[in-house]
Amino acid sequence: MCDSSPVRNWLFGLIAALVLAAAAVGAAMIANGSLWLIWTSAGWMIVAGLLTLGAIGICVGAGLALDKFCSCAGTRCEGPCGNMRRLISAIQAVLGIQATACFTVAIIASIPWLPLGLMAIIIGALIAQLLLAISLIPFYASLTSCQISSAQPV
């Protein structure tokens, strides 16, 4: 039986990175709404952008771990592997756009209240990505069950 635990570990890392990126954007929003902390708003957006870039790297790692698992599992797990690979690729593509948005908003983050709407859009998109990453968990479960179901006699 092939080991799918590296895929699981990368998925949990992706979820953690997305939670941290969303929290950084939230901190940037709080800082931008405060005249005393506004000077930190741009820094928080840069942190969010870097965390989002980290999440892209985690997607690459998850894809490599998935490729290793799928080559071991063979054709019996072809469907679940393909579904999971496409979802990871979609998440990775959108994260690239979100990282760009974070760095772009960091440019205007020191202007009081101006970027709050853009920050709200970014945090909403990150939360949507988080939910999409969480939806990878049932796909992961299908990876382990495709091995079990094919190993049992018919």
Side-chain angles (χ1 to χ4, degrees):
M1 192 124 109
C2 305
D3 183 20
S4 63
S5 62
V7 177
R8 179 199 62 218
N9 296 341
W10 283 108
L11 294 180
F12 286 142
L14 176 62
I15 290 168
L18 291 172
V19 167
L20 291 173
V25 175
M29 290 178 76
I30 291 168
N32 187 267
S34 164
L35 293 177
W36 300 107
L37 297 174
I38 194 161
W39 60 275
T40 64
S41 184
W44 282 114
M45 287 308 296
I46 290 170
V47 167
L50 292 173
L51 286 166
T52 305
L53 288 177
I56 293 170
I58 291 171
C59 284
V60 170
L64 293 173
L66 181 64
D67 289 343
K68 184 175 180 181
F69 170 83
C70 294
S71 67
C72 173
T75 58
R76 64 181 180 243
C77 293
E78 192 172 280
C81 285
N83 290 337
M84 196 160 192
R85 188 174 291 114
R86 285 185 288 277
L87 189 53
I88 289 171
S89 294
I91 291 171
Q92 187 176 353
V94 174
L95 285 175
I97 297 166
Q98 288 175 222
T100 304
C102 287
F103 291 126
T104 303
V105 170
I107 296 169
I108 61 168
S110 295
I111 302 170
W113 305 293
L114 178 67
L116 285 176
L118 297 172
M119 291 176 181
I121 292 169
I122 291 170
I123 200 169
L126 283 168
I127 291 170
Q129 286 297 99
L130 176 62
L131 295 175
L132 198 57
I134 291 170
S135 75
L136 283 167
I137 294 171
F139 285 112
Y140 173 75
S142 69
L143 283 181
T144 57
S145 67
C146 73
Q147 291 189 94
I148 296 169
S149 63
S150 63
Q152 295 174 348
V154 177

